[in-house]
Amino acid sequence: MNKHVAPVVREASFHCPQCGVLAEQTWSGTINCHYSGLLPNGQKGGTHFTLQNTWIAKCSHCKNISLWINDKMVYPLTGNVEMANPDLPENIKKDYNEAKDIVNISPRGAAALLRLAIQKLCIHLGENGKNINDDIASLVKKGLPKTMQQALDSVRVIGNNAVHPGTIDLNDKIEIAYALFGFVNVICEVLISQPKKIQEFYEKNIPEGARNGIEKRDK
């Protein structure tokens, strides 16, 4: 899984907030606006002005833009967050993308949605989904790697604190909310994507007779 290169103002390349591809960005700091319509004096007419402290980056891959004011991306709002792992089940991907849409407006709401996504992910992995803490404990007993346990519990605990009084204020530490998206994708990569790739390779490249022999051996 490639490392997500977050958008930064005036950087030469990063993962595009529009298409998700790591691509070169062309920057412009001169933005002229032309307006035609009803003027403040009530008359119809036109005027023009230049935006200050504003940058536009154009993606070399999709040709779409991102808009930055005072070195902060204001369009699209989801630009700071990596795209969802394509192997996430659709119902979980929907929660991920909804969280992505609101994280810059409500990091607390985004963290709560990601906690819900983790709860659904535990169900997808065979747990009952009634108590996310018990589900994680069950996965640990089944051999869940410690790093994945820590990632799951990070999203669980921070998601809980987002909707209940806690020690973490995500409005002051929005970068913590950003990190949770990466945790969800890493969890999906290790627990879903990698096993899927290995199984597909195994079924495609290992002869059926050999697979049958391995199954008999393991029984």
Side-chain angles (χ1 to χ4, degrees), residues 107-119:
R108 294 172 65 247
L113 280 167
L114 292 177
R115 183 195 178 281
L116 175 62
I118 287 296
Q119 188 165 10

Side-chain angles (χ1 to χ4, degrees), residues 3-16:
K3 180 181 178 181
H4 176 68
V5 181
V8 177
V9 66
R10 295 186 292 280
E11 280 294 309
S13 62
F14 46 69
H15 277 94
C16 173

Side-chain angles (χ1 to χ4, degrees), residues 93-111:
K93 193 182 298 182
K94 182 178 180 181
D95 291 332
Y96 183 102
N97 287 332
E98 184 177 348
K100 188 170 179 283
D101 286 343
I102 69 169
V103 65
N104 286 321
I105 302 171
S106 175
R108 294 172 65 247

Side-chain angles (χ1 to χ4, degrees), residues 54-179:
T54 304
W55 290 86
I56 283 182
K58 185 176 181 180
C59 173
S60 63
H61 182 262
C62 68
K63 311 304 179 186
N64 288 316
I65 67 165
S66 56
L67 177 64
W68 303 68
I69 297 178
N70 294 324
D71 294 346
K72 181 179 180 181
M73 187 189 300
V74 297
Y75 173 82
L77 280 175
T78 58
N80 310 77
V81 178
E82 60 192 85
M83 300 291 185
N85 187 315
D87 288 326
L88 276 173
E90 286 302 318
N91 64 325
I92 301 174
K93 193 182 298 182
K94 182 178 180 181
D95 291 332
Y96 183 102
N97 287 332
E98 184 177 348
K100 188 170 179 283
D101 286 343
I102 69 169
V103 65
N104 286 321
I105 302 171
S106 175
R108 294 172 65 247
L113 280 167
L114 292 177
R115 183 195 178 281
L116 175 62
I118 287 296
Q119 188 165 10
K120 292 179 180 178
L121 188 57
C122 287
I123 296 173
H124 180 80
L125 295 172
E127 304 306 320
N128 61 35
K130 293 181 180 179
N131 184 300
I132 189 172
N133 196 40
D134 292 343
D135 287 348
I136 295 173
S138 176
L139 289 169
V140 169
K141 290 178 181 178
K142 294 175 182 177
L144 182 75
K146 185 175 182 179
T147 52
M148 293 301 97
Q149 168 262 308
Q150 292 174 339
L152 285 165
D153 278 322
S154 294
V155 181
R156 175 184 67 84
V157 172
I158 293 173
N160 277 341
N161 282 344
V163 293
H164 299 103
T167 58
I168 301 173
D169 187 349
L170 294 182
N171 291 316
D172 291 335
K173 297 181 179 179
I174 193 170
E175 67 276 4
I176 293 177
Y178 294 153

